[in-house]
Amino acid sequence: MPGLMGGTGDSDPVSREEFARAMAALGGFEPAPAVAVGLSGGGDSLALVLLLRHWVAERGGSLLALTVDHGLRPESADEAATVGQTAARLGIPHRILRWDGEKPLAGLQAAARAARHRLLAAACDEAGILHLALAHHRDDQAETVLLRLARGSGIDGLAGMAAVRADGAVRVIRPLLNFSHDRLLATCRAEGVDWIEDPSNRNPRFARARLRAAVDLLGGEGLDAIRLGEVARRAGRARAALEQATAGLLAEAAILHPEGWITLAPAPLLAAPAEIALRALAQALAAVGGPAHPVRDEALERLLGALADGQGTTLGGCVVRMRRGAVMVAREPVAAIERQSVPPGGRALWDGRFDLRVSPRHGKPVMVAALGAAGWREWVARLAPERVPDLPVPVRETLPSLWSGTELLGVPMVGGRYGSDADGQVPMDRAIFRPLSSLGRPAFTVVSDRRGII
């Protein structure tokens, strides 16, 4: 990508010392760090694996390479196996993660990113690994800034990709953001390692591929990767200040309820600067409605105005209205439609919000679905009056519940508050509210219409 490069030394391999400084700038590593790395087989990710292999070895750590097979091309399975062979030659443990199921006809790249995000995070969680390293580099950052600029993004979009972001139980790191694509390929050549070229990188169906076709013109006008990286750095600084202010507002105003809903104190919300209040609302909606329901600024502005008038609405898969003097943000019942079969003793993430563990006492797989109005009435009839929780109607109807056909087996709640196994010995059903988009992390570390890119 010569048009986006700029600067000198872009044909030199990345040295171990340079990479060590880049990793040190990320901070937050344990004495013997366990790191996972997304390995596509391309030159960028292979260079990252080569550099990380030395870095973890010097610190007594470990490295696990993860390859996602999206199954979008007939040859993808063979390519993933070839990547595994390369990892084996390098002495690096490797796993292939497959994206099964139907693929959407529209929004394929976004769906593939979401699947990659989910599979990599789950693999890290299973392996007990905190750090997930991705190979986005300086030219990827430049492309991201240009794409956001073309789409009219503000500060969040122009800040591009963050070097570090928390994603649930995983810490995503991007140590290569200051290195060019050419230098990463030079790193592979220096180690005598070949890489795979992804044909989608040249497919004009995709915006990034079309942008790459124009890089010479852009570079001639001064829009090289170095300058665009400076734009991202400065915008990131501004974004961090806005995120800090938003976190302060949420710490003052928000209560996260274990049944999967949020309340916001209206006084500090409405007294805050509009930009901060809008960001706080966006985070609350994302935490309850999930990342599949991004909300645009115009809709957030209308919501904030409605709340100022004591009104509410449905937005981003949520019901938002005043309740007992507070702003209630609850899952919209018509949006909680997921049905998932889980085996006895199994675990699942239901509705993108609840970490569900099914007791092994069940003799066969159970269906997890929203409780619904009729299910709530049936469940309440089984409880003593003093054990019936005081919950808003939308929250009741979107509780995760276990079914066998039309038979309601139970409503597992946080800490087993609403039921336990009869003998008290077998682990009981549990559901813990664990939204993918948490109020405890910055909301816009990587932005595309308030979506993350991974």
Side-chain angles (χ1 to χ4, degrees), residues 1 53 80 131 159 168 173 234 263 293 325 336 348 368 381 396 407 426:
M1 297 176 55
R53 179 180 62 162
H131 314 285
I173 59 174
R234 295 186 180 104
T263 51
H293 302 273
V368 185
R396 300 174 189 173
E407 178 187 1
V426 181

Side-chain angles (χ1 to χ4, degrees), residues 47-183:
L48 179 57
V49 165
L50 293 169
L51 293 163
L52 278 171
R53 179 180 62 162
H54 297 297
W55 186 84
V56 298
E58 290 172 353
R59 289 156 181 79
S62 61
L63 184 63
L64 172 65
L66 301 171
T67 298
V68 176
D69 175 11
H70 293 92
L72 298 177
R73 294 179 288 110
E75 61 272 24
S76 65
D78 290 339
E79 290 175 353
T82 300
V83 173
Q85 293 167 7
T86 300
R89 287 195 296 272
L90 296 172
I92 297 169
H94 178 258
R95 283 188 58 194
I96 296 175
L97 313 174
R98 290 182 172 84
W99 182 24
D100 297 320
E102 295 184 7
K103 309 300 189 292
L105 296 177
L108 183 59
Q109 278 204 318
R113 279 196 300 269
R116 187 159 63 248
H117 168 101
R118 182 178 66 254
L119 290 168
L120 290 170
C124 289
D125 185 43
E126 181 181 338
I129 294 175
L130 172 62
H131 314 285
L132 171 63
L134 301 178
H136 296 110
H137 49 76
R138 191 177 74 189
D139 307 303
D140 291 327
Q141 182 75 298
E143 289 174 4
T144 299
V145 173
L146 285 173
L147 285 169
R148 299 302 156 261
L149 183 62
R151 294 172 183 174
S153 294
I155 290 295
D156 293 333
L158 295 180
M161 292 180 283
V164 182
R165 71 179 177 91
D167 184 22
V170 179
R171 180 175 177 260
V172 177
I173 59 174
R174 294 182 172 91
L176 302 180
L177 287 179
N178 289 326
F179 301 108
S180 72
H181 175 65
D182 279 359
R183 292 198 67 190

Side-chain angles (χ1 to χ4, degrees), residues 253-265:
I255 298 176
L256 198 67
H257 299 273
E259 300 86 4
W261 58 301
I262 291 171
T263 51
L264 299 168

Side-chain angles (χ1 to χ4, degrees), residues 290-362:
H293 302 273
V295 179
R296 295 188 177 277
D297 286 341
E298 312 87 80
L300 287 169
E301 290 166 359
R302 289 194 296 270
L303 173 60
L304 185 60
L307 292 173
D309 293 333
Q311 305 298 314
T313 188
T314 57
L315 185 63
C318 299
V319 178
V320 186
R321 60 176 172 82
M322 300 300 298
R323 179 181 186 265
R324 299 178 182 175
V327 177
M328 176 195 75
V329 182
R331 190 75 162 109
E332 187 179 7
V334 297
I337 59 175
E338 181 179 5
R339 297 177 64 83
Q340 190 174 161
S341 178
V342 183
R347 180 179 178 182
L349 179 69
W350 180 78
D351 196 37
R353 304 179 300 136
F354 284 97
D355 182 359
L356 185 76
R357 296 177 185 267
V358 173
S359 171
R361 67 185 171 89
H362 297 288

Side-chain angles (χ1 to χ4, degrees), residues 10 24 26 81 121 146 151 153 178 208 225 234 287 306 360 374 386 399 418:
D10 277 332
L26 302 178
L146 285 173
R151 294 172 183 174
S153 294
N178 289 326
R208 284 184 182 269
R234 295 186 180 104
E386 65 273 10
L399 293 172
Y418 309 134

